Amino acid sequence: MSGPVEVTLRGAALWARIDRTDAANACGSAVMAGLESWLARAAEPGVRALVLTGTGRHFCAGADMTEGTALLGDQPALRAFLDRGRQLVRAVRASPVPTIAAVNGVAFGGGLELLLACDIAVAADTARIGDRHIAAAQVPGWGSSVLLPQAIGPAAARRLLLTGETWTGPEALAHGLVSECVPAEALDDRVAALAEHLATLEPAAVTRMLDVSRTVLDEAAWDREWQTLTEHLASQERP
């Protein structure tokens, strides 16, 4: 597949590799479209796992700030752009097959939220991971205020959200944000082996295990985050 998301079937795993290195693999409309197409193929016969990764030094640096900033004067269009990313994160969480984040590099903002949406996350030792919305004078909208406390606990989540700090791959492993950290050069092979193992398991049992192992979303908290974001964006609207 051409475009900013390269989709490849490797055995029973469908890989999506964000390839927009000139923009730190930021999640703009074209990337979202590519990831939506990748997710839609999860229902194809023979697809037993989905893998999300990035090209170069970035996994995903978050929502495309250039595209978003250009929409500041059109609040409905800006909200639609951001809501598309929000729904993308929810779609990853609802995938009918297991999802694996192969975190090859920087995962900030929306990149962190995509990581959090995946069932399993494996990080390269060179990865840098953080929420970072506060560093851009923004607040999250794709779920990190909801998903991060569930993943690492409320105290550690508040620290990341409020300070904009980042963690290395080993630090993310120590905090339980990822389940494994490997040398960068071994990341693809390790994740491929993990996906291959998942493909050997009985499909009906995997489906039911996804149902019981995925944390139930706090819909009220999810809605509160979106309301907070829309109010914050309205306060920044250009005159």
Side-chain angles (χ1 to χ4, degrees):
M1 177 178 177
S2 60
V5 179
E6 176 189 350
V7 177
T8 308
L9 185 63
R10 297 175 57 177
L14 191 66
W15 286 62
R17 187 179 299 275
I18 304 174
D19 187 9
R20 197 175 173 223
T21 55
D22 59 331
N25 291 343
C27 204
S29 295
V31 170
M32 292 184 204
L35 294 180
E36 289 162 354
S37 297
W38 164 67
L39 286 167
R41 292 183 58 187
E44 290 182 0
V47 174
R48 302 290 301 278
L50 297 179
V51 177
L52 177 61
T53 192
T55 300
R57 298 184 298 107
H58 294 84
F59 173 74
C60 174
D64 188 333
M65 294 294 289
T66 300
E67 187 171 351
T69 300
L71 296 172
L72 276 176
D74 185 347
Q75 287 289 307
L78 178 58
R79 286 194 296 270
F81 167 70
L82 293 172
D83 190 50
R84 186 177 185 180
R86 180 174 180 253
Q87 298 307 322
L88 176 64
V89 167
R90 292 191 68 127
V92 173
R93 291 191 85 256
S95 167
V97 297
T99 53
I100 307 172
V103 189
N104 58 295
V106 169
F108 291 163
L112 170 65
E113 288 159 319
L114 286 168
L115 179 164
L116 289 166
C118 291
D119 297 304
I120 299 171
V122 180
D125 55 1
T126 54
R128 291 172 55 223
I129 303 171
D131 180 75
R132 300 290 294 167
H133 282 99
I134 197 73
Q138 294 298 329
V139 294
W142 295 1
S144 66
S145 73
V146 182
L147 301 175
L148 197 55
Q150 292 178 341
I152 62 175
R158 278 194 300 272
R159 178 168 180 135
L160 277 189
L161 289 165
L162 285 169
T163 65
E165 291 176 352
T166 64
W167 288 341
T168 63
E171 288 170 336
L173 175 62
H175 285 279
L177 183 56
V178 300
S179 63
E180 191 173 355
C181 180
V182 299
E185 63 273 15
L187 179 64
D188 276 15
D189 286 346
R190 175 61 189 128
V191 171
L194 182 57
E196 184 177 334
H197 170 70
L198 290 171
T200 68
L201 304 175
E202 204 278 319
V206 170
T207 298
R208 293 188 173 93
M209 189 62 78
L210 290 175
D211 287 341
V212 299
S213 64
R214 285 174 173 164
T215 306
V216 177
L217 272 180
D218 183 338
E219 294 292 347
W222 187 263
D223 291 343
R224 183 174 65 247
E225 179 189 83
W226 182 248
Q227 180 64 31
T228 301
L229 174 62
T230 56
E231 291 172 356
H232 186 67
L233 292 172
S235 74
Q236 298 177 315
E237 188 173 8
R238 292 170 179 166

